[in-house]
């Protein structure tokens, strides 16, 4: 197989939305955000067929200035465990390293994110030490109730250089 990685284009959004179950409007927004310099997008194509993508956001709401955040990382189910995610993260981290010595990301706490949890630790990502976060803010105290959803995350960073 030949794997090509390139930025998301407007012409791609229908194929990407169908393959990954993402809203077309959100994907169009990504194209606009990349044109405005807020993010970098990386889409993976295997012999011309879309197989995965990841976003690099230059200014992270969690990490602040200077630590770009990897977001929305996804490989189509049928093509997982074939190194596509690794190729996407390699590309996103290399781009981040052009501007920053550190890159960050947040990962969900349920088993839906189990593969990603394992992958990040094996790649050298380390918890950022701020503890669990819910909807962009740290969980504050013992006994606090939190809703378990995609926005209950632990943030990690990786030193790139
Ligand atoms: C996370 C994800 C993008 C990984 O993509 P992928 O193409 O399968 O990743 P790779 O094939 O490059 O895997 C790299 C390594 O990660 C680890 N890994 C990946 N999936 C794993 C799994 N299901 N179980 C255990 N380890 C796993 C392995 O160490 C693997 O290397 P190996 O196959 O040589 O053992 C993919 O599983 C996915 O889309 N998951 C659902 C969405 C998600 O959780 N996104 C992350 C949000 S934070």
């Amino acid at each position: 197989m030949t794997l090509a990685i390139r930025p998301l284009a407007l012409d791609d959004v229908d194929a990407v939305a169908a393959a990954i179950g993402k809203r077309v409007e959100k994907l169009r927004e990504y194209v606009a955000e990349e044109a405005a310099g807020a993010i970098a997008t990386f889409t993976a194509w295997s012999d011309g067929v879309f197989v995965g993508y990841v976003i690099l956001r230059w200014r992270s709401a969690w990490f602040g200035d200077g630590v770009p955040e990897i977001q929305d990382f996804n490989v189509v189910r049928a093509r997982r465990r074939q190194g596509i995610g690794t190729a996407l993260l390699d590309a996103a981290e290399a781009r981040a390293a052009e501007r920053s010595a550190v890159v960050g990301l947040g990962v969900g706490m349920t088993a839906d994110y189990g593969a990603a949890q394992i992958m990040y630790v094996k790649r050298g990502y380390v918890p950022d030490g701020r503890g669990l976060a819910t909807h962009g803010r740290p969980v504050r105290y013992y006994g606090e109730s939190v809703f378990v959803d995609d926005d209950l995350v632990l943030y990690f960073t990786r030193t790139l250089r």
Side-chain angles (χ1 to χ4, degrees):
M1 95 173 165
T2 59
L3 190 71
I5 295 188
R6 60 171 171 76
L8 180 67
L10 270 185
D11 285 349
D12 301 332
V13 298
D14 289 333
V16 175
I20 222 106
K22 192 92 185 165
R23 285 186 307 116
V24 166
E25 296 73 28
K26 183 68 192 170
L27 295 168
R28 289 207 183 104
E29 195 179 310
Y30 280 154
V31 174
E33 282 191 282
E34 179 147 38
I39 64 171
T41 64
F42 304 85
T43 59
W45 303 80
S46 172
D47 296 327
V49 177
F50 171 78
V51 287
Y53 78 121
V54 69
I55 304 302
L56 180 68
R57 185 166 296 282
W58 291 112
R59 194 186 184 290
S60 158
W62 179 262
F63 295 109
D65 285 331
V67 179
E69 182 180 337
I70 286 168
Q71 297 180 334
D72 213 356
F73 179 34
N74 220 313
V75 169
V76 298
R77 199 172 287 275
R79 298 299 304 272
R80 289 179 189 167
R81 218 66 201 267
Q82 296 173 24
I84 294 164
T86 297
L88 283 165
L89 276 193
D90 286 348
E93 289 173 357
R95 185 73 63 80
E98 292 171 8
R99 296 196 202 174
S100 172
V102 179
V103 70
L105 52 77
V107 64
M109 293 289 95
T110 66
D112 294 336
Y113 297 99
Q117 293 163 5
I118 294 167
M119 183 176 180
Y120 297 151
V121 169
K122 286 192 169 173
R123 278 180 84 88
Y125 282 83
V126 175
D128 75 346
R130 294 172 66 190
L132 201 54
T134 181
H135 291 267
R137 65 153 179 92
V139 171
R140 291 198 185 91
Y141 53 87
Y142 295 102
E144 178 176 351
S145 293
V146 290
F147 192 74
V148 179
D149 61 9
D150 289 348
D151 287 314
L152 182 69
V153 299
L154 194 62
Y155 284 96
F156 288 71
T157 58
R158 181 180 181 190
T159 302
L160 300 171
R161 54 178 161 83

